[in-house]
Amino acid sequence: MPIIINGNDVAREIRYEIKAKVGALQEQRGIIPGLAVILVGKDPASRIYVRRKTEDCEEVGFFSREFKLPENTEEHRLLSIIDELNRDGRIHGILVQLPLPQHINANAIIDAINPRKDVDGFHPYNMGRLFTGDPFHQACTPYGIIELMDRHGIKIEGKNVVIVGRSNIVGKPLAMMLLTRHATVTVCHTRTKNLSEVTRRAEILVAAAGSVEMIKGEMVRDGAVVIDVGINRREDGTLVGDVAFSEVVDKTSYITPVPGGVGPMTRAMLLTNTYNAATRLSSAQ
Ligand code: NAD
């Protein structure tokens, strides 16, 4: 029988653990982890993500600051807020919600964040540390996928892993994390030939393409672990993943649903990164 991984339960467990550690950190060292979240514009999904991140902070006892800026905010204004937050001793993590409006250079914004406060793990410094096998802050979604597998006792070492999607926020950093954990990793993308042949070899298959139910039953090997990162919105507003869940589920040993699989883990790992940033920044001072 396949095990349907409950990301909400694992994320709740992580928040519970962090809350307990925050209490101890405050008591022993007088430190309260602080996260600043910046939203530019009115993208409805981004607004929901930002609200939930602030709620998570409240739940675990973090200090948080939320910046909601209008769509026409100029790049230099955003840079000056980041500069202020880089110097704000109460803030240990800075997150700029992506995507940013077209007129703002997202790379320039990410580059401006102090890498020690880059709790999204997107700064080239953090990407480079991951690449060299000595990670500092790791990108939250792939980090959450690894955590989800670890907490279910899914062995990574020596496994054939296939990732569909090569983005900087999911596919590429996940490939590096899995290599560090001694998996054999194949990364597929829109120009991969004979995709089904490749995915069928996967003992662990990760779908991160953003394409509605593109992973069909015949693309999955018997007994595979299937991780669905996709969050796609149907016209009726419901969410659906990259995996055709109903036709794939019975072939798997473990599978993550959408919603309620990888999604909640992304936010949980943001809290983990912020907690770690607080302990490391404070010991560096
Ligand atoms: P992206 O558009 O930046 O990258 C998609 C990647 O998939 C590209 O590398 C592309 O080459 C590949 N791809 C697309 N269609 C393909 C196809 N038919 N065959 C093979 N490769 C294909 O997307 P992203 O930002 O990495 O996000 C991917 C999905 O994951 C989206 O649905 C997104 O909403 C979701 N996502 C979820 C979380 C979460 O917390 N669960 C976080 C980030 C992204």
Side-chain angles (χ1 to χ4, degrees):
M1 274 293 280
I3 293 178
I4 297 170
I5 293 177
N6 188 329
N8 283 315
D9 280 354
V10 179
R12 194 176 305 114
E13 198 174 284
I14 291 172
R15 288 197 302 275
Y16 182 79
E17 290 163 10
I18 291 176
K19 190 173 178 174
K21 289 198 286 186
V22 169
L25 189 67
Q26 192 177 359
E27 217 167 273
Q28 290 158 15
R29 295 170 58 192
I31 301 165
I32 300 172
L35 175 69
V37 183
I38 306 173
L39 171 68
V40 185
K42 287 190 169 163
D43 178 66
S46 293
R47 284 164 77 106
I48 295 171
Y49 293 146
V50 166
R51 195 182 65 228
R52 290 195 181 142
K53 285 167 187 171
T54 306
E55 285 166 4
D56 285 347
C57 284
E58 276 166 26
E59 185 182 330
V60 299
F62 285 4
F63 169 68
S64 71
R65 291 183 72 184
E66 201 178 288
F67 294 80
K68 284 187 183 150
L69 307 173
E71 180 82 22
N72 62 359
T73 301
E74 289 186 38
E75 190 172 308
H76 69 84
R77 167 83 184 116
L78 192 49
L79 287 169
S80 79
I81 293 173
I82 289 170
D83 183 47
E84 179 208 323
L85 293 169
N86 280 341
R87 288 182 281 107
D88 185 340
R90 298 168 303 169
I91 294 296
H92 306 96
I94 302 170
L95 181 141
V96 179
Q97 186 66 46
L98 300 177
L100 285 166
Q102 289 276 316
H103 66 278
I104 296 177
N105 178 348
N107 287 339
I109 298 301
I110 292 167
D111 284 358
I113 298 171
N114 175 351
R116 290 179 163 273
K117 296 192 177 188
D118 165 44
V119 285
D120 243 347
F122 295 160
H123 191 286
Y125 172 87
N126 282 314
M127 286 291 189
R129 290 276 301 248
L130 178 62
F131 210 93
T132 55
D134 178 27
F136 190 72
H137 289 312
Q138 305 190 69
C140 298
T141 301
Y143 191 10
I145 293 169
I146 301 279
E147 190 69 24
L148 215 43
M149 290 198 279
D150 282 348
R151 288 186 185 234
H152 284 82
I154 296 168
K155 195 171 162 249
I156 295 173
E157 185 175 333
K159 290 284 169 66
N160 278 323
V161 184
V162 175
I163 305 169
V164 183
R166 58 170 165 187
S167 74
N168 287 337
I169 64 169
V170 187
K172 281 191 219 163
L174 179 62
M176 289 304 135
M177 289 175 204
L178 290 164
L179 275 180
T180 306
R181 296 288 297 272
H182 313 295
T184 302
V185 184
T186 305
V187 182
C188 303
H189 45 81
T190 40
R191 279 173 243 183
T192 298
K193 291 185 185 138
N194 305 321
L195 185 64
S196 316
E197 251 171 54
V198 184
T199 57
R200 266 200 301 272
R201 291 202 293 266
E203 294 171 286
I204 299 175
L205 175 61
V206 182
S211 177
V212 175
E213 298 186 333
M214 64 165 289
I215 303 293
K216 309 287 184 203
E218 77 269 9
M219 298 170 80
V220 177
R221 169 184 172 146
D222 278 332
V225 173
V226 174
I227 307 288
D228 191 352
V229 188
I231 302 179
N232 311 293
R233 199 167 285 279
R234 283 207 183 93
E235 274 184 13
D236 64 3
T238 54
L239 293 182
V240 61
D242 286 356
V243 175
F245 188 91
S246 55
E247 59 176 275
V248 167
V249 59
D250 287 334
K251 298 187 85 175
T252 66
S253 52
Y254 291 86
I255 186 166
T256 64
V258 176
V262 174
M265 290 301 291
T266 300
R267 281 161 47 208
M269 301 326 284
L270 175 67
L271 297 174
T272 301
N273 281 346
T274 305
Y275 174 82
N276 289 338
T279 56
R280 288 163 172 164
L281 267 175
S282 302
S283 47
Q285 277 163 3

